[in-house]
Amino acid sequence: DAGVIQSPRHEVTEMGQEVTLRCKPISGHNSLFWYRQTMMRGLELLIYFNNNVPIDDSGMPEDRFSAKMPNASFSTLKIQPSEPRDSAVYFCASSRASGQDTQYFGPGTRLTVL
Amino acid sequence: GENVEQHPSTLSVQEGDSAVIKCTYSDSASNYFPWYKQELGKGPQLIIDIRSNVGEKKDQRIAVTLNKTAKHFSLHITETQPEDSAVYFCAARKGAQKLVFGQGTRLTINP
């Protein structure tokens, strides 16, 4: 199994630009999670999906952030417009059961907003 | 909601010695406690987990203990090796709710 796949691995953009992060969960997993990691705040859950449906988006910082999961094998996290304080490593994770199984993390996308 | 505190934030041990990292949680109903290892430039990887119906679990050089009364759990690494150097995160979860992570411990193994 290839594990959770994220792209791009690194993204550098200018303030105000739209950023789209992509994730392919492990095949057969039906829960998908987006996390943000910073030195100051550690690992924070932004949103998670179960069977492609958003279940908890209470961690999404503000309306500039949006996430979609159009099918079981693909999800996007979009930031529009981006700001320097969005600079962080964004992880996608997936699990088999509805939040009760082990979460497997992808390699992350390091985002830098100038 | 759940709150997880992790200590120490950094830990340095001599190769071959043991390392212990401790976490406390606030919600007595939490029933799942995983430990993740994160190497530089990579995502967190599960190394061991324990559920509330068990007090201890061991996997080779790694063990986790859980004290439900005191609401704390610990990671024990014996016979440490240079490749054990990484950042370790504990987490807690109640049922199907979200994982809440500790702030992480940077473990350095000195040769």
mmCIF file of all heavy atoms in Angstrom, chain B residues 25-64:
data_model
loop_
_atom_site.group_PDB
_atom_site.id
_atom_site.type_symbol
_atom_site.label_atom_id
_atom_site.label_comp_id
_atom_site.label_asym_id
_atom_site.label_seq_id
_atom_site.Cartn_x
_atom_site.Cartn_y
_atom_site.Cartn_z
ATOM 1 N N TYR B 25 -4.226 13.419 30.801
ATOM 2 C CA TYR B 25 -5.410 13.829 30.060
ATOM 3 C C TYR B 25 -6.488 14.262 31.036
ATOM 4 O O TYR B 25 -6.452 13.920 32.216
ATOM 5 C CB TYR B 25 -5.892 12.708 29.136
ATOM 6 C CG TYR B 25 -6.260 11.407 29.821
ATOM 7 C CD1 TYR B 25 -7.585 11.093 30.106
ATOM 8 C CD2 TYR B 25 -5.276 10.467 30.144
ATOM 9 C CE1 TYR B 25 -7.923 9.896 30.713
ATOM 10 C CE2 TYR B 25 -5.606 9.276 30.760
ATOM 11 C CZ TYR B 25 -6.927 8.980 31.042
ATOM 12 O OH TYR B 25 -7.252 7.798 31.644
ATOM 13 N N SER B 26 -7.452 15.010 30.544
ATOM 14 C CA SER B 26 -8.427 15.612 31.449
ATOM 15 C C SER B 26 -9.775 14.890 31.465
ATOM 16 O O SER B 26 -10.476 14.916 32.486
ATOM 17 C CB SER B 26 -8.646 17.082 31.071
ATOM 18 O OG SER B 26 -9.127 17.178 29.735
ATOM 19 N N ASP B 27 -10.145 14.254 30.360
ATOM 20 C CA ASP B 27 -11.471 13.636 30.257
ATOM 21 C C ASP B 27 -11.405 12.165 30.661
ATOM 22 O O ASP B 27 -10.820 11.349 29.952
ATOM 23 C CB ASP B 27 -11.985 13.772 28.829
ATOM 24 C CG ASP B 27 -13.455 13.408 28.688
ATOM 25 O OD1 ASP B 27 -13.983 12.677 29.561
ATOM 26 O OD2 ASP B 27 -14.083 13.829 27.711
ATOM 27 N N SER B 28 -12.003 11.837 31.781
ATOM 28 C CA SER B 28 -11.939 10.472 32.285
ATOM 29 C C SER B 28 -12.635 9.466 31.366
ATOM 30 O O SER B 28 -12.444 8.259 31.503
ATOM 31 C CB SER B 28 -12.556 10.401 33.683
ATOM 32 O OG SER B 28 -13.897 10.857 33.662
ATOM 33 N N ALA B 29 -13.437 9.957 30.429
ATOM 34 C CA ALA B 29 -14.124 9.063 29.495
ATOM 35 C C ALA B 29 -13.267 8.712 28.276
ATOM 36 O O ALA B 29 -13.668 7.875 27.467
ATOM 37 C CB ALA B 29 -15.432 9.697 29.035
ATOM 38 N N SER B 30 -12.106 9.327 28.140
ATOM 39 C CA SER B 30 -11.219 8.982 27.024
ATOM 40 C C SER B 30 -10.812 7.526 27.139
ATOM 41 O O SER B 30 -10.563 7.018 28.243
ATOM 42 C CB SER B 30 -9.979 9.881 27.024
ATOM 43 O OG SER B 30 -10.329 11.187 26.618
ATOM 44 N N ASN B 31 -10.778 6.836 26.005
ATOM 45 C CA ASN B 31 -10.547 5.389 26.063
ATOM 46 C C ASN B 31 -9.538 4.876 25.046
ATOM 47 O O ASN B 31 -9.358 3.668 24.896
ATOM 48 C CB ASN B 31 -11.879 4.646 25.907
ATOM 49 C CG ASN B 31 -12.566 4.989 24.602
ATOM 50 O OD1 ASN B 31 -12.047 5.754 23.792
ATOM 51 N ND2 ASN B 31 -13.749 4.432 24.385
ATOM 52 N N TYR B 32 -8.884 5.777 24.342
ATOM 53 C CA TYR B 32 -7.894 5.338 23.351
ATOM 54 C C TYR B 32 -6.708 6.289 23.400
ATOM 55 O O TYR B 32 -6.891 7.519 23.353
ATOM 56 C CB TYR B 32 -8.515 5.330 21.958
ATOM 57 C CG TYR B 32 -7.540 4.993 20.847
ATOM 58 C CD1 TYR B 32 -6.929 3.742 20.780
ATOM 59 C CD2 TYR B 32 -7.219 5.933 19.886
ATOM 60 C CE1 TYR B 32 -6.034 3.437 19.775
ATOM 61 C CE2 TYR B 32 -6.318 5.640 18.878
ATOM 62 C CZ TYR B 32 -5.734 4.395 18.820
ATOM 63 O OH TYR B 32 -4.849 4.090 17.821
ATOM 64 N N PHE B 33 -5.476 5.704 23.500
ATOM 65 C CA PHE B 33 -4.286 6.518 23.730
ATOM 66 C C PHE B 33 -3.151 6.036 22.818
ATOM 67 O O PHE B 33 -2.441 5.093 23.145
ATOM 68 C CB PHE B 33 -3.863 6.415 25.204
ATOM 69 C CG PHE B 33 -4.994 6.711 26.152
ATOM 70 C CD1 PHE B 33 -5.796 5.680 26.631
ATOM 71 C CD2 PHE B 33 -5.283 8.016 26.533
ATOM 72 C CE1 PHE B 33 -6.854 5.942 27.491
ATOM 73 C CE2 PHE B 33 -6.333 8.281 27.401
ATOM 74 C CZ PHE B 33 -7.129 7.254 27.871
ATOM 75 N N PRO B 34 -2.967 6.682 21.678
ATOM 76 C CA PRO B 34 -1.873 6.292 20.778
ATOM 77 C C PRO B 34 -0.634 7.136 21.004
ATOM 78 O O PRO B 34 -0.704 8.256 21.528
ATOM 79 C CB PRO B 34 -2.460 6.579 19.397
ATOM 80 C CG PRO B 34 -3.386 7.747 19.630
ATOM 81 C CD PRO B 34 -3.911 7.597 21.051
ATOM 82 N N TRP B 35 0.489 6.602 20.584
ATOM 83 C CA TRP B 35 1.753 7.331 20.564
ATOM 84 C C TRP B 35 2.275 7.354 19.136
ATOM 85 O O TRP B 35 2.294 6.318 18.453
ATOM 86 C CB TRP B 35 2.789 6.665 21.468
ATOM 87 C CG TRP B 35 2.558 6.891 22.924
ATOM 88 C CD1 TRP B 35 1.819 6.119 23.773
ATOM 89 C CD2 TRP B 35 3.077 7.969 23.721
ATOM 90 N NE1 TRP B 35 1.835 6.654 25.047
ATOM 91 C CE2 TRP B 35 2.598 7.775 25.038
ATOM 92 C CE3 TRP B 35 3.903 9.061 23.451
ATOM 93 C CZ2 TRP B 35 2.926 8.650 26.082
ATOM 94 C CZ3 TRP B 35 4.225 9.923 24.489
ATOM 95 C CH2 TRP B 35 3.733 9.721 25.793
ATOM 96 N N TYR B 36 2.698 8.545 18.708
ATOM 97 C CA TYR B 36 3.218 8.720 17.365
ATOM 98 C C TYR B 36 4.669 9.188 17.438
ATOM 99 O O TYR B 36 5.050 9.956 18.319
ATOM 100 C CB TYR B 36 2.407 9.763 16.581
ATOM 101 C CG TYR B 36 1.057 9.269 16.106
ATOM 102 C CD1 TYR B 36 -0.048 9.269 16.953
ATOM 103 C CD2 TYR B 36 0.899 8.804 14.803
ATOM 104 C CE1 TYR B 36 -1.286 8.823 16.508
ATOM 105 C CE2 TYR B 36 -0.332 8.360 14.351
ATOM 106 C CZ TYR B 36 -1.418 8.373 15.210
ATOM 107 O OH TYR B 36 -2.643 7.926 14.762
ATOM 108 N N LYS B 37 5.443 8.749 16.446
ATOM 109 C CA LYS B 37 6.835 9.180 16.291
ATOM 110 C C LYS B 37 6.931 9.972 15.003
ATOM 111 O O LYS B 37 6.453 9.525 13.951
ATOM 112 C CB LYS B 37 7.747 7.942 16.211
ATOM 113 C CG LYS B 37 9.206 8.232 15.933
ATOM 114 C CD LYS B 37 9.989 6.926 15.800
ATOM 115 C CE LYS B 37 11.466 7.157 15.533
ATOM 116 N NZ LYS B 37 12.206 5.886 15.352
ATOM 117 N N GLN B 38 7.526 11.159 15.091
ATOM 118 C CA GLN B 38 7.670 11.986 13.901
ATOM 119 C C GLN B 38 9.141 12.278 13.656
ATOM 120 O O GLN B 38 9.790 12.963 14.452
ATOM 121 C CB GLN B 38 6.885 13.296 14.035
ATOM 122 C CG GLN B 38 6.900 14.122 12.764
ATOM 123 C CD GLN B 38 6.045 15.372 12.870
ATOM 124 O OE1 GLN B 38 5.731 15.854 13.957
ATOM 125 N NE2 GLN B 38 5.646 15.911 11.731
ATOM 126 N N GLU B 39 9.637 11.804 12.551
ATOM 127 C CA GLU B 39 11.014 12.084 12.144
ATOM 128 C C GLU B 39 11.022 13.328 11.271
ATOM 129 O O GLU B 39 9.996 13.720 10.698
ATOM 130 C CB GLU B 39 11.599 10.876 11.422
ATOM 131 C CG GLU B 39 11.682 9.643 12.333
ATOM 132 C CD GLU B 39 12.181 8.414 11.615
ATOM 133 O OE1 GLU B 39 11.786 8.185 10.462
ATOM 134 O OE2 GLU B 39 12.975 7.670 12.221
ATOM 135 N N LEU B 40 12.171 13.924 11.159
ATOM 136 C CA LEU B 40 12.306 15.193 10.459
ATOM 137 C C LEU B 40 11.800 15.082 9.025
ATOM 138 O O LEU B 40 12.204 14.188 8.274
ATOM 139 C CB LEU B 40 13.777 15.623 10.472
ATOM 140 C CG LEU B 40 14.059 17.061 10.071
ATOM 141 C CD1 LEU B 40 13.396 18.016 11.057
ATOM 142 C CD2 LEU B 40 15.564 17.324 10.010
ATOM 143 N N GLY B 41 10.898 15.975 8.666
ATOM 144 C CA GLY B 41 10.393 16.012 7.303
ATOM 145 C C GLY B 41 9.353 14.965 6.965
ATOM 146 O O GLY B 41 8.969 14.799 5.811
ATOM 147 N N LYS B 42 8.883 14.254 7.985
ATOM 148 C CA LYS B 42 7.893 13.200 7.752
ATOM 149 C C LYS B 42 6.645 13.425 8.600
ATOM 150 O O LYS B 42 6.642 14.228 9.529
ATOM 151 C CB LYS B 42 8.497 11.835 8.075
ATOM 152 C CG LYS B 42 9.687 11.467 7.197
ATOM 153 C CD LYS B 42 10.174 10.066 7.517
ATOM 154 C CE LYS B 42 11.339 9.670 6.623
ATOM 155 N NZ LYS B 42 11.834 8.304 6.930
ATOM 156 N N GLY B 43 5.601 12.695 8.265
ATOM 157 C CA GLY B 43 4.394 12.758 9.069
ATOM 158 C C GLY B 43 4.502 11.868 10.288
ATOM 159 O O GLY B 43 5.343 10.967 10.341
ATOM 160 N N PRO B 44 3.662 12.100 11.287
ATOM 161 C CA PRO B 44 3.673 11.242 12.478
ATOM 162 C C PRO B 44 3.314 9.803 12.110
ATOM 163 O O PRO B 44 2.425 9.564 11.292
ATOM 164 C CB PRO B 44 2.589 11.867 13.358
ATOM 165 C CG PRO B 44 2.441 13.269 12.873
ATOM 166 C CD PRO B 44 2.705 13.205 11.407
ATOM 167 N N GLN B 45 4.009 8.860 12.726
ATOM 168 C CA GLN B 45 3.758 7.440 12.478
ATOM 169 C C GLN B 45 3.404 6.765 13.799
ATOM 170 O O GLN B 45 4.120 6.924 14.790
ATOM 171 C CB GLN B 45 4.987 6.785 11.861
ATOM 172 C CG GLN B 45 5.404 7.388 10.528
ATOM 173 C CD GLN B 45 4.354 7.271 9.465
ATOM 174 O OE1 GLN B 45 3.789 6.194 9.241
ATOM 175 N NE2 GLN B 45 4.050 8.369 8.784
ATOM 176 N N LEU B 46 2.331 6.003 13.800
ATOM 177 C CA LEU B 46 1.925 5.304 15.011
ATOM 178 C C LEU B 46 2.974 4.268 15.402
ATOM 179 O O LEU B 46 3.428 3.482 14.570
ATOM 180 C CB LEU B 46 0.588 4.597 14.778
ATOM 181 C CG LEU B 46 0.040 3.831 15.975
ATOM 182 C CD1 LEU B 46 -0.556 4.806 16.982
ATOM 183 C CD2 LEU B 46 -1.017 2.816 15.528
ATOM 184 N N ILE B 47 3.371 4.286 16.676
ATOM 185 C CA ILE B 47 4.327 3.287 17.132
ATOM 186 C C ILE B 47 3.706 2.315 18.123
ATOM 187 O O ILE B 47 4.105 1.142 18.186
ATOM 188 C CB ILE B 47 5.588 3.929 17.748
ATOM 189 C CG1 ILE B 47 5.228 4.902 18.883
ATOM 190 C CG2 ILE B 47 6.417 4.625 16.682
ATOM 191 C CD1 ILE B 47 6.446 5.405 19.652
ATOM 192 N N ILE B 48 2.739 2.758 18.875
ATOM 193 C CA ILE B 48 2.050 1.876 19.814
ATOM 194 C C ILE B 48 0.800 2.586 20.307
ATOM 195 O O ILE B 48 0.753 3.811 20.303
ATOM 196 C CB ILE B 48 2.973 1.488 20.999
ATOM 197 C CG1 ILE B 48 2.414 0.291 21.786
ATOM 198 C CG2 ILE B 48 3.220 2.665 21.928
ATOM 199 C CD1 ILE B 48 3.411 -0.337 22.758
ATOM 200 N N ASP B 49 -0.201 1.824 20.675
ATOM 201 C CA ASP B 49 -1.401 2.428 21.244
ATOM 202 C C ASP B 49 -1.962 1.520 22.331
ATOM 203 O O ASP B 49 -1.600 0.342 22.423
ATOM 204 C CB ASP B 49 -2.460 2.720 20.178
ATOM 205 C CG ASP B 49 -2.872 1.482 19.374
ATOM 206 O OD1 ASP B 49 -2.479 0.361 19.751
ATOM 207 O OD2 ASP B 49 -3.569 1.640 18.360
ATOM 208 N N ILE B 50 -2.822 2.096 23.157
ATOM 209 C CA ILE B 50 -3.412 1.321 24.243
ATOM 210 C C ILE B 50 -4.855 1.783 24.441
ATOM 211 O O ILE B 50 -5.156 2.965 24.264
ATOM 212 C CB ILE B 50 -2.585 1.473 25.545
ATOM 213 C CG1 ILE B 50 -3.025 0.456 26.597
ATOM 214 C CG2 ILE B 50 -2.663 2.892 26.097
ATOM 215 C CD1 ILE B 50 -2.060 0.365 27.786
ATOM 216 N N ARG B 51 -5.701 0.852 24.771
ATOM 217 C CA ARG B 51 -7.099 1.181 25.053
ATOM 218 C C ARG B 51 -7.344 1.066 26.540
ATOM 219 O O ARG B 51 -6.567 0.413 27.265
ATOM 220 C CB ARG B 51 -8.030 0.285 24.247
ATOM 221 C CG ARG B 51 -7.829 0.483 22.747
ATOM 222 C CD ARG B 51 -8.816 -0.236 21.873
ATOM 223 N NE ARG B 51 -8.410 -0.126 20.461
ATOM 224 C CZ ARG B 51 -8.775 0.866 19.649
ATOM 225 N NH1 ARG B 51 -9.568 1.808 20.101
ATOM 226 N NH2 ARG B 51 -8.366 0.894 18.402
ATOM 227 N N SER B 52 -8.425 1.665 26.985
ATOM 228 C CA SER B 52 -8.619 1.839 28.432
ATOM 229 C C SER B 52 -8.893 0.555 29.191
ATOM 230 O O SER B 52 -8.885 0.550 30.413
ATOM 231 C CB SER B 52 -9.749 2.841 28.688
ATOM 232 O OG SER B 52 -10.942 2.393 28.086
ATOM 233 N N ASN B 53 -9.119 -0.532 28.486
ATOM 234 C CA ASN B 53 -9.368 -1.793 29.178
ATOM 235 C C ASN B 53 -8.081 -2.566 29.469
ATOM 236 O O ASN B 53 -8.112 -3.686 29.982
ATOM 237 C CB ASN B 53 -10.321 -2.674 28.362
ATOM 238 C CG ASN B 53 -9.779 -2.977 26.975
ATOM 239 O OD1 ASN B 53 -8.840 -2.345 26.517
ATOM 240 N ND2 ASN B 53 -10.379 -3.947 26.307
ATOM 241 N N VAL B 54 -6.943 -1.924 29.152
ATOM 242 C CA VAL B 54 -5.636 -2.564 29.356
ATOM 243 C C VAL B 54 -4.746 -1.609 30.133
ATOM 244 O O VAL B 54 -4.801 -0.398 29.923
ATOM 245 C CB VAL B 54 -4.985 -2.898 27.994
ATOM 246 C CG1 VAL B 54 -3.593 -3.463 28.188
ATOM 247 C CG2 VAL B 54 -5.859 -3.868 27.225
ATOM 248 N N GLY B 55 -3.917 -2.128 31.038
ATOM 249 C CA GLY B 55 -3.058 -1.265 31.828
ATOM 250 C C GLY B 55 -1.664 -1.095 31.245
ATOM 251 O O GLY B 55 -0.984 -0.119 31.532
ATOM 252 N N GLU B 56 -1.258 -2.068 30.415
ATOM 253 C CA GLU B 56 0.089 -2.005 29.857
ATOM 254 C C GLU B 56 0.129 -2.775 28.540
ATOM 255 O O GLU B 56 -0.568 -3.775 28.361
ATOM 256 C CB GLU B 56 1.097 -2.614 30.842
ATOM 257 C CG GLU B 56 2.538 -2.526 30.382
ATOM 258 C CD GLU B 56 3.530 -3.012 31.430
ATOM 259 O OE1 GLU B 56 3.090 -3.432 32.509
ATOM 260 O OE2 GLU B 56 4.748 -2.965 31.170
ATOM 261 N N LYS B 57 0.956 -2.287 27.650
ATOM 262 C CA LYS B 57 1.141 -2.963 26.366
ATOM 263 C C LYS B 57 2.595 -2.821 25.962
ATOM 264 O O LYS B 57 3.184 -1.748 26.147
ATOM 265 C CB LYS B 57 0.217 -2.349 25.312
ATOM 266 C CG LYS B 57 0.240 -3.032 23.957
ATOM 267 C CD LYS B 57 -0.794 -2.380 23.048
ATOM 268 C CE LYS B 57 -0.793 -2.983 21.662
ATOM 269 N NZ LYS B 57 -1.809 -2.319 20.785
ATOM 270 N N LYS B 58 3.143 -3.898 25.411
ATOM 271 C CA LYS B 58 4.566 -3.876 25.068
ATOM 272 C C LYS B 58 4.778 -4.385 23.653
ATOM 273 O O LYS B 58 4.101 -5.299 23.193
ATOM 274 C CB LYS B 58 5.341 -4.750 26.060
ATOM 275 C CG LYS B 58 6.845 -4.613 25.980
ATOM 276 C CD LYS B 58 7.525 -5.358 27.110
ATOM 277 C CE LYS B 58 9.036 -5.182 27.049
ATOM 278 N NZ LYS B 58 9.731 -5.894 28.135
ATOM 279 N N ASP B 59 5.728 -3.762 22.972
ATOM 280 C CA ASP B 59 6.106 -4.196 21.630
ATOM 281 C C ASP B 59 7.610 -4.034 21.507
ATOM 282 O O ASP B 59 8.107 -2.943 21.259
ATOM 283 C CB ASP B 59 5.373 -3.366 20.570
ATOM 284 C CG ASP B 59 5.696 -3.828 19.153
ATOM 285 O OD1 ASP B 59 6.443 -4.812 18.985
ATOM 286 O OD2 ASP B 59 5.204 -3.190 18.200
ATOM 287 N N GLN B 60 8.313 -5.128 21.723
ATOM 288 C CA GLN B 60 9.786 -5.148 21.672
ATOM 289 C C GLN B 60 10.336 -4.133 22.678
ATOM 290 O O GLN B 60 10.137 -4.283 23.875
ATOM 291 C CB GLN B 60 10.259 -4.911 20.250
ATOM 292 C CG GLN B 60 9.759 -5.997 19.284
ATOM 293 C CD GLN B 60 10.260 -5.820 17.861
ATOM 294 O OE1 GLN B 60 10.811 -4.796 17.470
ATOM 295 N NE2 GLN B 60 10.097 -6.861 17.054
ATOM 296 N N ARG B 61 11.030 -3.104 22.209
ATOM 297 C CA ARG B 61 11.655 -2.155 23.140
ATOM 298 C C ARG B 61 10.714 -1.040 23.602
ATOM 299 O O ARG B 61 11.100 -0.188 24.398
ATOM 300 C CB ARG B 61 12.876 -1.527 22.471
ATOM 301 C CG ARG B 61 13.973 -2.511 22.116
ATOM 302 C CD ARG B 61 15.221 -1.768 21.595
ATOM 303 N NE ARG B 61 14.954 -1.038 20.355
ATOM 304 C CZ ARG B 61 14.880 0.284 20.267
ATOM 305 N NH1 ARG B 61 15.042 1.035 21.346
ATOM 306 N NH2 ARG B 61 14.651 0.859 19.101
ATOM 307 N N ILE B 62 9.506 -1.057 23.103
ATOM 308 C CA ILE B 62 8.564 0.020 23.416
ATOM 309 C C ILE B 62 7.426 -0.513 24.268
ATOM 310 O O ILE B 62 6.896 -1.598 24.002
ATOM 311 C CB ILE B 62 8.013 0.629 22.112
ATOM 312 C CG1 ILE B 62 9.134 1.316 21.337
ATOM 313 C CG2 ILE B 62 6.889 1.623 22.403
ATOM 314 C CD1 ILE B 62 8.718 1.787 19.964
ATOM 315 N N ALA B 63 7.045 0.263 25.278
ATOM 316 C CA ALA B 63 5.912 -0.123 26.121
ATOM 317 C C ALA B 63 5.125 1.127 26.479
ATOM 318 O O ALA B 63 5.674 2.239 26.516
ATOM 319 C CB ALA B 63 6.386 -0.819 27.385
ATOM 320 N N VAL B 64 3.852 0.942 26.705
ATOM 321 C CA VAL B 64 3.002 2.038 27.166
ATOM 322 C C VAL B 64 2.242 1.557 28.394
ATOM 323 O O VAL B 64 1.779 0.417 28.442
ATOM 324 C CB VAL B 64 2.041 2.523 26.057
ATOM 325 C CG1 VAL B 64 1.189 1.395 25.532
ATOM 326 C CG2 VAL B 64 1.176 3.665 26.552
#
